Amino acid sequence: MAVTDRARTVSQTRRPAGAGEPAGTGTKGAAGVGLVLALVATVVWSGSFVATRGMADTVPPVQAVFWRWVIAAVAVAPFAARQAWEQRALLRAHLGYVCLATLFGVTLYNTLVHQAGLTTSASNMGMIMAASPVVMALYARLGGERLGARRVFGMLLAAFGVLLLVGDGSLGFDFTAGDLWMFGAALSFATYSALLKRKPAELGGLAFLLATFVLGALMLAPAYAVSVTVQGGFAVTPGAAGMLLYVGVMSSAVAFFAWNKAVAVIGAARAGVVYYLQPVCVAGLGLLLLGERTGPAELLCMALILGGVALGARR
């Protein structure tokens, strides 16, 4: 019996990492959690394009973005303030990195999105943002990450579906100024996602998130003051307040936390493949909230996108 118990003990000691662990702690389980987090962020951000478009006629872009980050900082502070205080020395030591991530992921990206909302539709905003995974994959490849033939094919298939969707079934385009602003936003977001992989491991996710929200509001403060002086303020109607709360709490605090965790678990390139679902989500929300109908051509494009995501999300 003793020999048998000893053999069993040795066998358990030599089990491969992850064997017998709960699904969420093994490699496959962690990858699944990462994909779900990326999907949560994508769905929530899809709603933000509808909210951003809805605010375009009543709230100046810079003012909307400034209050978005003030609200986001207030929303995440109860959960992150203690960690941020404990890691204040780390934040100071990596202040250059945190400022760079804030510039691309908070200040530039969202300002460009709100600026685009003045002259393009919510659907176009979502569809063009779906181009950012291509840049994410390029960044990942430049960083030495092997993408694999299946993931590259899935990415290209999804990108082709997005191009057809933007071009109304063809590859000819007639972009508005808002569309061009959105391409800038897509590049900025992809750069932010690539920077996330360089986040110092010892820096807590909540501390990093709160720091970027606070710094983002501070970076926007001068532009906000100019906007209020030149354009005047905006009326805080129930509709405007509701949309600001959505983009501040859900699209900022919740979605950025989920996206940052997803990139940490599965990488920017793989999370970016899930981001291709953005046009599908926006179209679904457009149908539910705005009554916009989707025709056979759009359904075909969405099938290409979904197929590409299914291939690209797998290892």
Side-chain angles (χ1 to χ4, degrees):
M1 178 69 72
V3 173
T4 304
D5 290 342
R6 183 179 178 186
R8 185 181 296 123
T9 302
V10 172
S11 174
Q12 290 174 344
T13 302
R14 293 178 178 176
R15 293 169 83 181
E21 297 175 355
T25 59
T27 302
K28 290 184 178 180
V33 170
L35 291 172
V36 169
L37 288 170
L39 180 60
V40 168
T42 298
V43 172
V44 173
W45 276 327
S46 298
S48 75
F49 291 128
V50 177
T52 298
R53 187 67 187 94
M55 286 188 286
D57 297 329
T58 56
V59 185
V62 171
Q63 296 182 41
V65 179
F66 174 79
W67 284 110
R68 171 178 183 158
W69 297 117
V70 170
I71 293 169
V74 171
V76 80
F79 309 98
R82 181 176 179 178
Q83 186 183 85
W85 176 254
E86 291 172 346
Q87 296 193 340
R88 60 190 183 279
L90 273 174
L91 288 169
R92 283 197 299 269
H94 299 290
L95 186 59
Y97 165 80
V98 177
C99 286
L100 193 62
T102 300
L103 177 65
F104 284 103
V106 173
T107 308
L108 279 179
Y109 164 55
N110 288 279
T111 302
L112 291 170
V113 168
H114 282 261
Q115 184 66 35
L118 295 175
T119 51
T120 193
S121 66
S123 297
N124 269 23
M125 293 165 72
M127 288 186 286
I128 293 171
M129 270 304 298
S132 60
V134 176
V135 186
M136 292 180 204
L138 290 175
Y139 279 138
R141 187 68 188 90
L142 290 173
E145 182 178 336
R146 294 177 62 86
L147 300 179
R150 182 168 56 190
R151 290 176 65 187
V152 170
F153 179 73
M155 180 186 71
L156 292 176
L157 184 64
F160 181 67
V162 169
L163 290 175
L164 286 179
L165 199 56
V166 174
D168 291 327
S170 71
L171 295 179
F173 307 104
D174 183 18
F175 295 123
T176 66
D179 295 335
L180 297 177
W181 285 119
M182 279 308 301
F183 277 114
L187 177 60
S188 183
F189 179 72
T191 304
Y192 169 75
S193 297
L195 285 170
L196 287 179
K197 291 300 291 181
R198 297 182 177 273
K199 184 178 79 67
E202 66 273 18
L203 184 59
L206 286 172
F208 172 74
L209 203 65
L210 180 58
T212 58
F213 290 171
V214 172
L215 284 172
L218 290 174
M219 288 180 182
L220 286 162
Y224 172 79
V226 172
S227 176
V228 171
T229 302
V230 175
Q231 299 173 290
F234 61 92
V236 186
T237 63
M243 287 183 282
L244 281 173
L245 284 172
Y246 180 86
V247 297
V249 178
M250 297 300 296
S251 297
S252 300
V254 174
F256 268 82
F257 177 79
W259 182 260
N260 291 1
K261 291 287 288 184
V263 171
V265 173
I266 60 176
R270 201 171 178 201
V273 176
V274 179
Y275 199 78
Y276 275 122
L277 291 172
Q278 187 94 260
V280 181
C281 296
V282 173
L285 289 172
L287 175 62
L288 292 174
L289 302 177
L290 306 176
E292 296 177 349
R293 295 294 173 182
T294 302
E298 287 80 6
L299 290 174
L300 174 61
C301 295
M302 290 179 189
L304 291 173
I305 295 169
L306 289 169
V309 169
L311 286 172
R314 297 176 61 190
R315 284 199 180 279

